[in-house]
Amino acid sequence: MTPALLRAWLRPRLDLVAVGVCVVALFFLPKGVPGGIAALGVVSGSAIALQALGVVLILRATRVFNFAQVQLGAVTALLFFELIHHSQFVLFAYDACNSCFRGLPNDTTFLQANPSDFLKDLFNAGYGGWVVANFWLSAVLSFLLAPLLSWVVYMLVIRRFDNAPRLIVTVVTLALALILVAVAGAIPGLVFQDARLDTGVTPNDKVLPSWSLTIAPTIFHFGDVLLVVGAGVVVLALAAFFLFSSTGVAMRGAADNPRRALTLGISVAQLSGLSWLFAGALSGLAAILSVIQNGSSGVTSATFQVGPLVEVLAVAVIARLVSLPLVLVGAAALGVISQVFFWNYSSPVQFDAALLVITVVLLLLQQSRQSRAELEATAAYLAAREGRPIPRELRGLPVVDGWVRAFTVVVAILVVGLPFVMSPGQVSLGSVILIYTIVGLSLLVLTGWAGQISLGQFAISAVGGYVAAVIATRTGLFILADLVIGGLVGAVVAVLIGLPALRLRGLYLAVSTLAFASATSSVLLNPDALGRFAPSTLDRPTVFGFDLNNEQVFFYFSLIFLALAFLAVMGLRRSRTARALIACRDNEQAAQSFGINLLRARLEAFALSGFIAAFAGALFAYHEHGVEPAAFAPEVSVTIFNLVVIGGLGSLAGPFLGSLVYGALNLFSNPILTILGSGVGVLLILVLFPDGLSGMLYAVRDAWLRRVAIRYRIVVPSLLADVRAGSLETQAPIANKARGDGGGTFVPVRYRLLGQWDKFAQEQPKEKPVGA
């Protein structure tokens, strides 16, 4: 093969070559790649492969990244674990018929006093078969729950957004993930409240075969082999289904070209529902096999965890977002990389950093150009309209000015006066709301105006907080200098993140920023890595005679910076920079044809939003008295993004309203309620008010202004152009098109769909040609 042919062959496969280079590089690590560790990587990668298969199926069918895929499996795993942990069905039978279990005490006090001995006594008395039956019955029921739940989600929620931009549906899956977190958290308390049913152990070792296989330095058990074999069988079964069954072929065709599939009579909606059904089954299978393999350690806690989701999305990226066989290969490669890194370094820091680099590099190698459909989906990113100002025709009216002044006074009294009637804890929560609002304003610039979907914005805040904390303790600079320096460093980091964004847009940028958030938490803030340079505590200083340790003083301190950030963003919106960003967001080609520099506009957006977010992060570090990893967790980025969507990404009021929702939910001090409220809130807002709460409030305001305009008989084109207002109606009616011979109206033949729908063609009489 000549060098030219070799380059031509390698060019479309550079991403796979990069993965191969990463695997080969593992052999140069200090401890090498033992065979048992590589095999363990294949085992761990099998569970990731099943989840990634579900992500790819939904992505191909609906062009949506399903961020709820892993959380669906978490619900299944938790239910399965609770059923076997409590030996639920055995205890049902025991309660119903004590005499059926001869040799066991027939009173309920036995279980209350000796719950951990119950399984042992069952086996000693010869009733071990009941435990085995309970185990597999629980597995079957839990497995059936996953596809059923996934299909219900599609039918009740996702189908409502069939005609919506794909990025809206992606936000919907984020909300669904938060709802599933709340569901998982409620399972133990709502379903398994009786402490008497807690047997205290999982019966994996009593149910599964006890043989083992040793590949130095790792010992593998039946659950490990079952996981690998199960993943391989599923991939082969799916490949056969898509290759040989008519339904599978139709699903492939509908995924490649939905509009063409519709013209052939294929029900795209039905096949999309089938894809969600398959994805749910894959997620449930991965969760159950993980519990069988690892016992209680295979159960994901009832929290939204970004780390496992990033690994699944990375495998989907390796598979080029479409290839099912490459999912298995990519998952095995990623599993080997992770286990070898853990073997060599005994820490997740190096692997999380490597995962970020791998994800971004692969996306850059793959996304050389985007299809027109993908560009259109990115342009219609959230369909949020901006709030219009009060029309100048009405600004001078006393009734309008009176209401504006009254609203301003009420808001000012509430903001300034509430800290005096709230407890210190509530005032501290108020400061958090103010800081989150500043971060929300940075998202408004980056996502709302520039159209760059960032799910790792709070990671930029973590950078600002880290820098401010280090500078404050090592140099003793004034707090304002710390905040500004932290913001400037955050702006630089944001620009570095923005460089790949020139090629990664929409959903792909969301994946890379999510990976950045995960890496920031485990590398920058981890005490075993760069986090050891950060101070353990960060004292609040005294500023101009005011002690910031007083929660009320810090509240007003944060309020000042929120006001400055708001004024800066409002001024930015009136500038050419914001207009250029919005033009590039809506239509890149048209914006560039008018001389707008796309590179400069987008990098400016990342720099400005990065400075605002990092400045807020530095302020948040002072609020928290340090840079604890939990305070800057990557999950917070997703929460803030959802809150801004609730408020409305098209308006300056959106971040304020979203933060108020967050504060209202946190007043109850129930994390499950907070997670459930934010998830359900996003769904309700996107279904009922696609423009967010701000869009709803602006609609109410415009309706009132319209009534004022009609009452005072003032023509306001911006309010009345699409409304009939009696004598104010000035539009002339459009005349009907008439025949050339003076006959009635007609529809030209070239606009008719003759012969495509038989019923339509039969019901509509054929028109005579003009002059006939």
Side-chain angles (χ1 to χ4, degrees):
M1 181 180 294
T2 64
L5 291 177
L6 180 61
R7 286 194 299 270
W9 184 85
L10 286 176
R11 189 174 294 112
R13 299 173 176 84
L14 287 177
D15 54 337
L16 301 180
V17 173
V19 175
V21 170
C22 291
V23 174
V24 173
L26 297 177
F27 291 91
F28 295 94
L29 294 177
K31 296 182 181 180
V33 185
I37 299 300
L40 184 61
V42 174
V43 173
S44 62
S46 298
I48 301 175
L50 292 174
Q51 297 283 15
L53 283 172
V55 170
V56 171
L57 282 177
I58 293 179
L59 185 62
R60 293 192 60 183
T62 59
R63 293 179 290 119
V64 171
F65 273 112
N66 180 22
F67 287 102
Q69 177 73 17
V70 174
Q71 203 57 48
L72 181 65
V75 173
T76 305
L78 186 59
L79 178 63
F80 176 52
F81 173 77
E82 292 293 339
L83 287 174
I84 62 174
H85 179 67
H86 295 277
S87 295
Q88 192 68 65
F89 297 108
V90 178
L91 291 167
F92 284 159
Y94 180 81
D95 288 339
C97 182
N98 295 105
S99 60
C100 298
F101 293 86
R102 298 179 180 178
L104 294 177
N106 57 5
D107 57 346
T108 58
T109 58
F110 165 73
L111 290 179
Q112 294 174 348
N114 306 280
S116 60
D117 295 333
F118 182 68
L119 288 180
K120 181 175 66 175
D121 293 338
L122 280 174
F123 277 92
N124 292 339
Y127 297 107
W130 286 85
V131 179
V132 176
N134 175 85
F135 185 91
W136 295 112
L137 179 61
S138 301
V140 171
L141 291 179
S142 302
F143 172 75
L144 293 177
L145 170 68
L148 177 62
L149 184 59
S150 181
W151 183 79
V152 168
V153 163
Y154 173 77
M155 295 301 295
L156 296 182
V157 179
I158 302 299
R159 285 199 63 179
R160 293 179 177 270
F161 299 91
D162 281 345
N163 298 322
R166 297 299 85 191
L167 294 181
I168 286 184
V169 190
T170 300
V171 175
V172 169
T173 63
L174 281 171
L176 289 172
L178 295 178
I179 294 174
L180 290 174
V181 167
V183 171
I187 285 178
L190 294 180
V191 183
F192 304 98
Q193 294 181 355
D194 192 349
R196 180 180 62 86
L197 303 180
D198 188 357
T199 57
V201 295
T202 54
N204 291 27
D205 57 336
K206 299 180 179 296
V207 175
L208 302 177
S210 58
W211 63 269
S212 62
L213 173 66
T214 301
I215 303 178
T218 309
I219 301 176
F220 297 92
H221 300 281
F222 176 79
D224 302 313
V225 178
L226 183 63
L227 180 57
V228 175
V229 173
V233 170
V234 167
V235 171
L236 293 177
L238 284 176
F241 173 78
F242 286 114
L243 287 175
F244 304 113
S245 71
S246 57
T247 303
V249 173
M251 290 180 67
R252 291 169 57 196
D256 293 336
N257 195 330
R259 295 182 179 179
R260 176 59 176 163
L262 286 172
T263 63
L264 297 176
I266 297 175
S267 176
V268 176
Q270 183 178 359
L271 295 180
S272 298
L274 188 60
S275 298
W276 279 82
L277 189 72
F278 283 174
L282 290 168
S283 182
L285 180 62
I288 291 172
L289 291 179
S290 296
V291 175
I292 291 176
Q293 176 202 11
N294 296 317
S296 59
S297 60
V299 180
T300 304
S301 60
T303 57
F304 180 71
Q305 296 184 338
V306 170
L309 179 60
V310 170
E311 293 184 9
V312 171
L313 294 178
V315 171
V317 169
I318 294 174
R320 300 177 178 177
L321 309 179
V322 293
S323 175
L324 299 184
L326 282 180
V327 167
L328 195 61
V329 175
L334 188 64
V336 171
I337 292 173
S338 65
Q339 294 300 326
V340 171
F341 265 92
F342 293 151
W343 169 257
N344 280 269
Y345 300 106
S346 302
S347 172
V349 174
Q350 292 79 6
F351 172 70
D352 288 338
L355 185 60
L356 171 62
V357 175
I358 291 172
T359 302
V360 174
V361 169
L362 291 179
L363 285 172
L364 288 174
L365 291 175
Q366 293 171 1
Q367 292 297 312
S368 58
R369 61 181 301 180
Q370 289 180 298
S371 67
R372 181 176 179 180
E374 290 173 328
L375 289 174
E376 291 175 352
T378 303
Y381 63 108
L382 280 177
R385 295 178 297 176
E386 290 192 73
R388 298 178 297 187
I390 296 176
R392 56 176 171 268
E393 296 89 346
L394 300 178
R395 290 177 190 171
L397 287 180
V399 63
V400 175
D401 289 345
W403 277 103
V404 170
R405 285 194 297 268
F407 176 78
T408 304
V409 170
V410 169
V411 172
I413 291 175
L414 289 176
V415 173
V416 176
L418 279 179
F420 292 99
V421 298
M422 295 189 302
S423 65
Q426 292 174 333
V427 176
S428 177
L429 175 61
S431 300
V432 174
I433 294 173
L434 298 179
I435 295 171
Y436 281 6
T437 305
I438 299 175
V439 181
L441 289 172
S442 72
L443 270 176
L444 176 65
V445 174
L446 184 61
T447 302
W449 297 346
Q452 305 297 309
I453 307 300
S454 174
L455 296 180
Q457 193 71 359
F458 207 63
I460 303 294
S461 301
V463 172
Y466 177 88
V467 171
V470 171
I471 291 178
T473 54
R474 293 177 182 262
T475 64
L477 288 177
F478 188 49
I479 182 174
L480 295 181
D482 298 336
L483 298 177
V484 172
I485 294 174
L488 291 175
V489 175
V492 173
V493 173
V495 169
L496 295 177
I497 297 174
L499 290 175
L502 300 177
R503 291 165 61 90
L504 303 180
R505 298 174 188 130
L507 301 176
Y508 307 103
L509 180 63
V511 173
S512 62
T513 53
L514 196 65
F516 172 74
S518 179
T520 300
S521 179
S522 60
V523 176
L524 183 67
L525 305 181
N526 192 334
D528 297 330
L530 297 178
R532 65 177 179 270
F533 299 109
S536 57
T537 59
L538 180 62
D539 297 329
R540 298 180 188 175
T542 300
V543 179
F544 302 125
F546 296 96
D547 186 6
L548 295 183
N549 288 302
N550 185 305
E551 293 297 339
Q552 291 181 348
V553 173
F554 192 86
F555 176 89
Y556 293 118
F557 186 72
S558 303
L559 182 61
I560 292 173
F561 289 113
L562 173 58
L564 293 175
F566 174 76
L567 293 175
V569 174
M570 184 172 61
L572 175 66
R573 179 61 187 90
R574 298 172 179 174
S575 67
R576 181 185 181 277
T577 300
R579 293 194 296 271
L581 290 175
I582 295 173
C584 294
R585 177 199 72 189
D586 292 338
N587 194 322
E588 293 180 3
Q589 290 79 10
Q592 289 176 312
S593 68
F594 281 94
I596 295 177
N597 189 323
L598 182 63
L599 170 64
R600 177 181 176 181
R602 288 212 166 122
L603 291 183
E604 285 179 350
F606 273 95
L608 291 171
S609 67
F611 178 83
I612 296 173
F615 190 96
L619 192 61
F620 189 63
Y622 277 101
H623 177 273
E624 297 293 310
H625 297 280
V627 283
E628 292 294 329
F632 292 91
E635 291 77 15
V636 181
S637 294
V638 178
T639 300
I640 294 178
F641 183 85
N642 281 338
L643 292 175
V644 176
V645 172
I646 290 176
L649 269 173
S651 170
L652 282 167
F656 291 88
L657 296 174
S659 298
L660 288 178
V661 171
Y662 173 84
L665 293 174
N666 277 270
L667 283 177
F668 300 98
S669 301
N670 188 330
I672 298 299
L673 180 61
T674 302
I675 293 173
L676 182 62
S678 58
V680 174
V682 170
L683 287 183
L684 290 178
I685 291 300
L686 291 178
V687 171
L688 301 177
F689 311 105
D691 297 330
L693 292 176
S694 60
M696 179 190 67
L697 294 179
Y698 278 121
V700 173
R701 184 208 63 179
D702 289 347
W704 175 72
L705 291 175
R706 190 177 295 114
R707 293 176 63 89
V708 171
I710 295 173
R711 179 185 305 169
Y712 289 90
R713 305 189 64 80
I714 300 175
V715 178
V716 184
S718 61
L719 291 176
L720 304 176
D722 56 344
V723 178
R724 294 185 179 273
S727 60
L728 295 178
E729 180 63 59
T730 59
Q731 292 183 351
I734 299 176
N736 293 326
K737 187 174 178 64
R739 293 179 179 276
D741 57 357
T745 60
F746 74 102
V747 178
V749 175
R750 63 180 178 274
Y751 297 138
R752 292 271 299 276
L753 302 175
L754 298 179
Q756 296 193 29
W757 287 273
D758 293 337
K759 183 178 179 181
F760 177 82
Q762 293 171 5
E763 291 179 352
Q764 303 295 326
K766 294 185 178 179
E767 63 206 21
K768 296 180 180 180
V770 176

